[in-house]
Every structure is written in C-alpha cells, then in structure tokens.
C-alpha cells in the first residue's frame, strides 16, 4: 500500500469515474431501450468487477515518487470536481495518466506518453472513418432478413456492451488500482467505491450522454463494438483511455452513416475540445509541479 492519502484519493477517483462512465458503458443500450435504468447499473457493475479481476494486470503505471503522485491525484480530483460543478466534460484518465507519463518522460526518458497520445489520436480517427462503413454493412445485411438479423444484432449489442464494461473495469479502474500498488485490501475499497458510484450517483447521470443522441439498433451495435475494440487494444498495451472520447467518436462516426442528424454536434465539439485539451494542460501542470518541487 502506498499511503493512506494515496488510498483515499484513489478511492475517491474510483467513485467518480465509475459514476461518470455508467452513461458511457450502458447508455446506448438504455437509449435504444434494450436495457432499462433499473437493471443497467447491475449489468455494468458486475462487468466492471469481472474485467478488473481478469485483465487489470495489463495496466502497469510508471513509478513516481509518493510526493508527486499524491499531488497529481489531488490535482486530478480538483479538476474533475470543477468540471462537475461547471458541467464541463473532463477526462479523469487523460489528466491523471498524462501527468504520470509526463513525469516518466521528463525524469526517465520513458516514451509511454508519446505512445499513448499517438494511440488516443489514431484510435479516434480510425473510429470516425470506419464506423459509417460498418453501419451501412449492418443495414445491408439486416435488410435481407430483418427479423432474424434484428435478434442477432440485439444479442451482439448486449455482448459488446458487456465487453465494453469489462474493458472499463480493467482499463480505468485497473489503472487506479495499479497506481495504489495493487494491494488486496485496497481492492476491497476500490470495489466498494465503484459500487457506490455506479448505483448511487451513476443512476442520476445515466442519460447524460444518451440525451444528446438517438441511435438505431445497428447504430448502437456499431458504436459499442468500436468503443470496445479500441478500449481492449489499449488495455492489452497498458494504455489508459477515455471511454467518453471513444463513445463520442463512435457515435459521431455512426452519424455520418445516416441521412439525418442523430447527435448534437455543438455539444460534441465542445466536449471533444475540452477532453483533448486536457492532455496538453495536464502535461503543462506536471512541468510546473516539478519545477515547484525542486
């Protein structure tokens, strides 16, 4: 165990990220009425924990001094809370992981930050390009035998959402557990914090993203599938990702496959600007913190 302060901060961040990402991981299923708001938290939470236990070993963080780590965790917590107050979408993972990886780059010459930023950018671009093609392919296949394919697409959407929730547990929650030191006692608190975030405050934010888009069954499947694939690849390489960014990019990509507008693009532009803008901001804050610690 790192320290009591580290444990408290990690537990609080686990609560926040579990609460905020419930709408990301199961929002498309709720928006298409394949899952109701009562059962969605149960579906998501169980999947989180399974993913955390099975795959979090891939999320190994760069070793940083305890003094810097606690400052980075505190700054992340403050920025996320400010974002909550002003209703601005802030990526906890981008802020925290960029800070830690910037430290690794400056102090050890570790290039993981460059790999991560490259993956964040490329995965978003690839999702935006490929989503319309998959959507149109699913439409063509579904038009031949609509009843049969509709059932298959529903099942596939449930599976994709399940896998996406598992990836969230492994990637985001697993990253926070790795920061703490992967202590078994801390794992218990992290699991409890995730449960509170999912079932208590997560219910109130479940439709936060669902309210800005309208998906068909094929659109839901496409968005969930690409979000999962991007998250899973990142997990295998130990790269933390923003699930909000993955889903928003997937939905924007899907919207290009429709002849009508299905998403509030004004909200999307604002959200992505803030989310991506947090990366250089976090790097700059880290440099300032390191100067002050000298």
């Amino acid at each position: 165990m790192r320290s009591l302060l580290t444990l408290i901060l990690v537990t609080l961040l686990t609560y926040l990220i579990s609460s905020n990402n419930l709408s990301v991981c199961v929002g498309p299923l709720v928006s298409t009425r394949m899952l109701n708001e009562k059962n969605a938290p149960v579906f998501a939470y169980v999947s989180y924990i399974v993913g955390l236990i099975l795959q979090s070993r891939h999320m190994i963080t760069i070793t940083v001094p305890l003094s810097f780590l606690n400052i980075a965790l505190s700054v992340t917590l403050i920025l996320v809370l400010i974002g909550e107050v002003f209703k601005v979408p802030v990526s906890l993972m981008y802020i925290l992981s960029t800070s830690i990886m910037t430290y690794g780059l400056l102090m050890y010459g570790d290039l993981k930050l460059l790999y991560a930023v490259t993956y964040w950018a490329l995965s978003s671009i690839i999702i935006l390009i490929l989503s319309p093609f998959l959507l149109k392919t699913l439409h063509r296949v579904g038009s031949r035998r609509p009843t049969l394919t509709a059932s298959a697409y529903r099942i596939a959407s449930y599976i994709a959402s399940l896998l996406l929730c598992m990836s969230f547990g492994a990637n985001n929650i697993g990253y926070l557990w790795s920061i703490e030191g992967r202590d078994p006692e801390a794992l218990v608190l992290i699991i409890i914090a995730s449960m509170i975030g999912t079932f208590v405050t997560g219910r109130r934010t479940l439709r936060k993203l669902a309210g800005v888009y309208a998906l068909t069954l094929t659109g839901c499947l496409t968005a969930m599938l690409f979000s999962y694939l991007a998250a899973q690849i990142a997990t295998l390489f130990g790269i933390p990702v923003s699930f909000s960014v993955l889903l928003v990019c997937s939905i924007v990509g899907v919207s290009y496959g429709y002849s009508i507008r299905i998403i509030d693009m004004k909200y999307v532009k604002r959200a992505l600007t803030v989310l991506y803008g947090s990366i250089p901001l976090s790097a700059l804050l880290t440099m300032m913190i390191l100067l002050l610690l000298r």
Side-chain angles (χ1 to χ4, degrees), residues 135 214 216 251-252 254-263 265:
L135 179 73
T216 62
I251 294 174
V252 171
V254 165
S255 70
Y256 293 141
Y258 289 103
S259 57
I260 60 174
R261 186 173 174 180
I262 66 166
I263 187 169
M265 291 303 297

Side-chain angles (χ1 to χ4, degrees), residues 164-189:
L164 180 63
C165 291
M166 289 176 60
S167 289
F168 171 76
N171 190 289
N172 282 197
I173 301 177
Y175 187 75
L176 290 171
W177 186 30
S178 178
I179 287 174
E180 188 282 327
R182 296 183 64 83
D183 186 82
E185 294 178 1
L187 177 60
V188 175
L189 291 179

Side-chain angles (χ1 to χ4, degrees), residues 8-185:
I8 292 172
L9 291 171
V10 165
T11 301
L12 289 173
L13 290 173
T14 300
Y15 157 74
L16 287 172
I17 204 168
S18 298
S19 175
N20 293 341
N21 280 274
L22 178 63
S23 59
V24 175
C25 293
V26 295
L29 286 184
V30 174
S31 72
T32 51
R33 299 187 179 181
M34 285 187 284
L35 200 62
N36 61 46
E37 293 183 29
K38 180 179 179 180
N39 296 327
V42 178
F43 179 92
Y45 177 70
V46 172
S47 304
Y48 292 168
I49 303 308
V50 172
L52 172 64
I53 293 172
L54 293 182
Q55 285 195 308
S56 63
R57 65 185 183 279
H58 296 292
M59 304 306 297
I60 300 174
T61 61
I62 296 171
T63 301
V64 298
L66 188 59
S67 57
F68 173 81
L69 176 61
N70 287 334
I71 291 174
L73 288 168
S74 300
V75 170
T76 300
L77 179 61
I78 292 170
L79 291 177
V80 171
L81 291 175
I82 291 174
E84 290 288 320
V85 171
F86 289 98
K87 306 299 180 183
V88 176
V90 177
S91 173
L92 187 158
M93 274 297 115
Y94 277 174
I95 295 171
L96 181 58
S97 62
T98 297
S99 181
I100 291 175
M101 289 187 286
T102 298
Y103 183 96
L105 178 63
L106 295 176
M107 296 300 176
Y108 312 136
D110 193 306
L111 299 178
K112 194 168 186 178
L113 175 64
L114 303 182
Y115 300 145
V117 172
T118 300
Y119 183 82
W120 293 338
L122 286 179
S123 60
S124 297
I125 293 170
I126 291 171
I127 287 173
L128 288 169
I129 293 173
L130 294 184
S131 293
F133 293 102
L134 177 58
L135 179 73
K136 292 177 181 179
T137 300
L138 293 175
H139 277 160
R140 284 196 297 269
V141 173
S143 63
R144 297 170 187 171
R145 303 185 67 179
T147 302
L148 179 62
T149 51
S151 298
Y153 288 170
R154 287 177 66 88
I155 294 173
S157 295
Y158 284 120
I159 294 173
S161 183
L162 172 70
L163 294 173
L164 180 63
C165 291
M166 289 176 60
S167 289
F168 171 76
N171 190 289
N172 282 197
I173 301 177
Y175 187 75
L176 290 171
W177 186 30
S178 178
I179 287 174
E180 188 282 327
R182 296 183 64 83
D183 186 82
E185 294 178 1

Side-chain angles (χ1 to χ4, degrees), residues 193-206:
S194 180
M195 179 176 64
I196 296 172
T198 302
F199 287 96
V200 180
T201 52
R203 289 179 182 273
R204 296 199 299 266
T205 61
L206 182 55

Side-chain angles (χ1 to χ4, degrees), residues 185-249:
E185 294 178 1
L187 177 60
V188 175
L189 291 179
I190 286 172
I191 289 175
I192 294 173
S194 180
M195 179 176 64
I196 296 172
T198 302
F199 287 96
V200 180
T201 52
R203 289 179 182 273
R204 296 199 299 266
T205 61
L206 182 55
R207 290 191 175 273
K208 181 171 61 176
L209 282 180
V212 299
Y213 61 79
L215 291 176
T216 62
L217 179 57
T218 51
C220 174
L221 176 56
T222 301
M224 300 300 284
L225 183 60
F226 273 115
S227 297
Y228 160 68
L229 290 174
Q232 182 61 19
I233 292 171
T235 299
L236 293 176
F237 283 98
I239 298 174
V241 291
S242 168
F243 281 68
S244 296
V245 169
L246 293 180
L247 183 64
V248 169
C249 288

